[in-house]
């Protein structure tokens, strides 16, 4: 899964990577969490023949997709990830898969490895050669009962490759820059036509760096959360002895 990620590139770098005309200024974000606003890019209105302007447009959406048919959001789970294997058929995602596929720019993501006797070890997982990546995203516009609309989104995930599987069994789908136009083309390409893009990243694409548990708290938003760090074993809890108890004797209590 992908429950935290970062976008630390400048607006100009991000716009150039996604093929956007421009982006408004935004700060580096080191600890993006579900329910927060995230940047996505979608296919825009086709340009006139001969135009050299990009035909993609940015959108700011709430990370946590809400399908249009939901009646009460309080009783609906937070869909910040979508399993790519069933997204074409699943009611929550099939409309977005057909009509609103998007790109989510990121500098990398965080994942936690769980093991017995230790707290979860967080990892900062970033492109081995630096730069930005684009996760496969979905967008759904939700109309609230009061009449206002809210753009919401999710990140598609896939089974992790062998380089990441020892940390977690899922990872975000990465769309190669050569496939941006194909993934975003919801006018002429059906979901089945882009299903082949929903695959794990190559084995040597990411590097995983262990970091401290600062990333666990959403309030921690500085670059220090990406510094290398190891989580030690949890301290054993002290057990209270009854008066007169002898360590050499067994007890039922």
């Amino acid at each position: 899964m992908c429950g935290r990620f970062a976008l630390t590139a400048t607006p100009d770098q991000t716009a150039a990577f996604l093929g956007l005309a421009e982006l408004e200024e935004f700060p580096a974000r080191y600890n993006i969490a579900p329910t927060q606003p995230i940047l996505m890019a979608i296919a825009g209105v086709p340009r006139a023949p001969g135009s050299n302007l990009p035909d993609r447009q940015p959108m700011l959406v709430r990370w946590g997709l809400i399908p249009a048919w939901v009646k009460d959001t309080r009783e609906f789970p937070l869909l910040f990830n979508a399993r790519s294997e069933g997204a074409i058929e699943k009611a929550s995602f099939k409309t977005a898969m057909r009509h609103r596929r998007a790109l989510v720019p990121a500098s990398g993501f965080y994942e936690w490895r769980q093991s017995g006797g230790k707290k979860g070890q967080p990892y900062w997982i970033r492109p081995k050669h630096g730069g930005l990546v684009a996760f496969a995203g979905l967008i759904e516009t939700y109309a609230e009962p009061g009449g206002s609309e809210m753009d919401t989104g999710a990140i598609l995930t896939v089974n992790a490759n062998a380089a990441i599987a020892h940390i977690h069994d899922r990872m975000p789908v990465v769309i190669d820059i050569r496939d941006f136009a194909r993934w975003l083309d919801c006018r002429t390409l059906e979901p089945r036509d882009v299903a082949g893009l929903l695959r794990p990243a190559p084995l040597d694409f990411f590097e995983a760096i262990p970091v401290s548990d600062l990333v666990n708290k959403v309030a921690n938003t500085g670059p220090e959360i990406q510094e290398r760090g190891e989580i030690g074993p949890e301290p054993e809890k002290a057990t209270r002895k009854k008066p007169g108890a002898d360590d050499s004797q067994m007890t039922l209590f």
Side-chain angles (χ1 to χ4, degrees):
M1 62 182 297
C2 174
R4 299 282 179 85
F5 71 98
L7 177 57
T8 59
T10 67
D12 286 346
Q13 290 170 334
T14 306
F17 174 70
L18 293 174
L20 299 170
E22 61 180 353
L23 286 170
E24 294 183 2
E25 288 296 319
F26 59 79
R29 300 177 67 191
Y30 291 89
N31 197 5
I32 303 172
T35 74
Q36 294 181 352
I38 62 173
L39 175 66
M40 290 193 180
I42 61 171
V45 178
R47 300 293 185 181
S51 172
N52 59 359
L53 295 175
D55 63 353
R56 296 172 192 160
Q57 65 183 59
M59 288 187 67
L60 200 61
V61 310
R62 170 193 181 266
W63 188 14
L65 187 142
I66 306 175
W69 45 262
V70 170
K71 300 298 183 184
D72 188 350
T73 58
R74 294 171 300 181
E75 298 179 359
F76 194 75
L78 184 63
L79 300 179
F80 55 90
N81 285 164
R83 294 178 70 91
S84 60
E85 295 87 347
I88 295 176
E89 295 86 16
K90 192 167 182 180
S92 298
F93 307 118
K94 64 181 182 180
T95 301
M97 274 292 294
R98 180 177 295 274
H99 300 294
R100 288 176 291 277
R101 298 189 294 269
L103 298 170
V104 184
S107 301
F109 67 102
Y110 301 95
E111 197 51 84
W112 283 257
R113 186 187 68 203
Q114 303 296 329
S115 59
K118 292 182 67 175
K119 296 180 181 178
Q121 171 64 57
Y123 284 83
W124 164 233
I125 303 173
R126 66 185 183 187
K128 188 172 293 185
H129 301 296
L132 287 161
V133 295
F135 300 147
L138 301 175
I139 293 177
E140 188 70 86
T141 300
Y142 178 71
E144 298 177 323
S148 61
E149 292 186 341
M150 174 172 57
D151 294 319
T152 68
I155 293 173
L156 285 155
T157 66
V158 70
N159 284 329
N161 61 29
I164 303 298
H166 71 287
I167 300 173
H168 198 276
D169 62 352
R170 305 289 296 178
M171 67 186 302
V173 173
V174 173
I175 302 296
D176 189 276
I177 194 168
R178 295 169 296 182
D179 296 315
F180 282 5
R182 184 179 166 200
W183 172 251
L184 294 177
D185 183 1
C186 297
R187 296 185 182 88
T188 64
L189 297 181
E190 298 283 337
R192 63 176 178 270
D193 299 322
V194 295
L197 302 180
L198 304 177
R199 58 182 182 264
L203 287 178
D204 60 349
F205 187 84
F206 285 116
E207 62 178 350
I209 302 167
V211 295
S212 75
D213 58 1
L214 287 173
V215 69
N216 294 359
K217 294 184 178 180
V218 178
N220 295 330
T221 59
E224 66 277 1
I225 69 173
Q226 293 179 354
E227 294 176 2
R228 184 177 294 271
E230 299 278 353
I231 305 298
E234 295 188 83
E236 295 184 6
K237 294 181 179 179
T239 56
R240 294 180 61 188
K241 292 183 179 181
K242 291 189 175 183
D246 187 343
D247 289 339
S248 65
Q249 295 180 352
M250 295 180 66
T251 176
L252 295 176
F253 304 100

